[in-house]
Amino acid sequence: MRADFGAKELVLYHYWRSSSSWRVRWALECKKLKPQFVHVDLLSGEVDREPHLSRNPMGQVPVLKVDGRHLVESVAIVEWLEEVVPEPLLYKGDAFSRAHIRALCELINAGTQPIQNLNVMDRYSEDPGKRKEWSQFFIRRGLNAFQRLATTRAGTFSVGDSITAADLFLVPQCYNALRFEIDLSEFPLIRRIYENASATTEAKLSAPDNYKL
């Protein structure tokens, strides 16, 4: 843990392949914070039982415990980290630039990733083929929108030439796209951003395979 962060105790409750968890692990790496990691198994239903429901009544990960207090929802956690450890900035530039970064985050966080959650697909169908088609449709829809919105401000990464919160949300979604056999060459700008961002040290350290159950 960073010395200038004080003596705060950090515990991250997460699941290794959860894209929301990856966002927060990546943000923690960017901020040079080293929490204790506690796995919560999504597949066994552990998230829907106590004690996890006391941490997050929605039964989701990640949850960041800070000195006994629980922070939930990846957007809220990443923005909290930005406030308490400002450097390096993940929301850069003027008010319009920061709003643009938040919009890119929300395209993934609100408009794309939740529709692929296990409880959504369980309600939709038990047929693996239908579940795959469902996920492919919504992933393509989200990535197409992200690419169109990012085009005017993208550089090496989603916004300019340094990592921002937008990359922390995009890359895990690209990881899911590849799992569902979507060829990122359909989205040339996103593929370039994905390759650049996922090659950074913090992305590699926070990647799912390092935390595999």
Side-chain angles (χ1 to χ4, degrees):
M1 188 179 301
R2 284 175 53 157
D4 59 355
F5 193 66
K8 294 186 185 299
E9 178 190 8
L10 295 180
V11 181
L12 182 66
Y13 298 90
H14 71 128
Y15 181 68
W16 72 278
R17 203 165 62 185
S18 155
S19 59
S20 298
S21 295
W22 187 0
R23 303 165 190 167
V24 172
R25 290 195 305 259
W26 192 348
L28 287 162
E29 288 290 347
C30 288
K31 303 297 185 179
K32 308 301 181 190
L33 297 174
K34 302 296 183 183
Q36 174 189 350
F37 292 97
V38 177
H39 284 100
V40 182
D41 191 356
L42 297 185
L43 301 183
S44 71
E46 185 180 356
V47 290
D48 297 318
R49 302 189 299 267
E50 296 294 348
H52 191 69
L53 286 177
S54 295
R55 303 177 194 122
N56 184 351
M58 278 292 282
Q60 296 175 338
V61 289
V63 176
L64 183 65
K65 183 179 179 182
V66 184
D67 286 346
R69 294 185 291 183
H70 294 115
L71 300 176
V72 302
E73 298 294 337
S74 61
V75 169
I77 295 170
V78 171
E79 292 197 358
W80 180 84
L81 288 168
E82 184 83 343
E83 290 185 24
V84 298
V85 185
E87 296 296 334
L89 286 172
L90 296 174
Y91 296 85
K92 304 173 188 288
D94 61 15
F96 283 103
S97 179
R98 295 194 300 274
H100 178 66
I101 293 168
R102 289 187 173 94
L104 291 171
C105 291
E106 286 299 334
L107 276 178
I108 303 299
N109 179 67
T112 309
Q113 183 267 328
I115 311 171
Q116 304 154 56
N117 279 345
L118 285 174
N119 57 358
V120 174
M121 289 198 286
D122 286 344
R123 294 281 292 183
Y124 169 63
S125 176
E126 295 182 359
D127 180 83
K130 290 183 178 180
R131 289 161 71 106
K132 180 179 177 181
E133 289 176 2
W134 170 276
S135 295
Q136 287 179 333
F137 173 82
F138 286 107
I139 292 171
R140 284 191 169 100
R141 179 173 180 266
L143 293 184
N144 181 62
F146 190 105
Q147 179 165 267
R148 293 184 66 180
L149 187 61
T151 296
T152 58
R153 294 174 182 244
T156 304
F157 304 110
S158 296
V159 183
D161 295 321
S162 57
I163 289 288
T164 67
D167 303 300
L168 276 57
F169 284 71
L170 175 64
V171 168
Q173 184 58 73
C174 291
Y175 176 87
N176 282 347
L178 293 170
R179 282 182 56 221
F180 285 106
E181 300 179 1
I182 293 175
D183 189 342
L184 293 182
S185 65
E186 296 178 33
F187 311 97
L189 176 62
I190 283 179
R191 183 177 66 176
R192 177 170 62 78
I193 294 168
Y194 171 75
E195 291 172 351
N196 291 336
S198 60
T200 62
T201 298
E202 293 79 11
K204 291 179 179 178
L205 289 172
S206 57
D209 285 350
N210 293 328
Y211 297 88
K212 196 169 184 177
L213 289 172

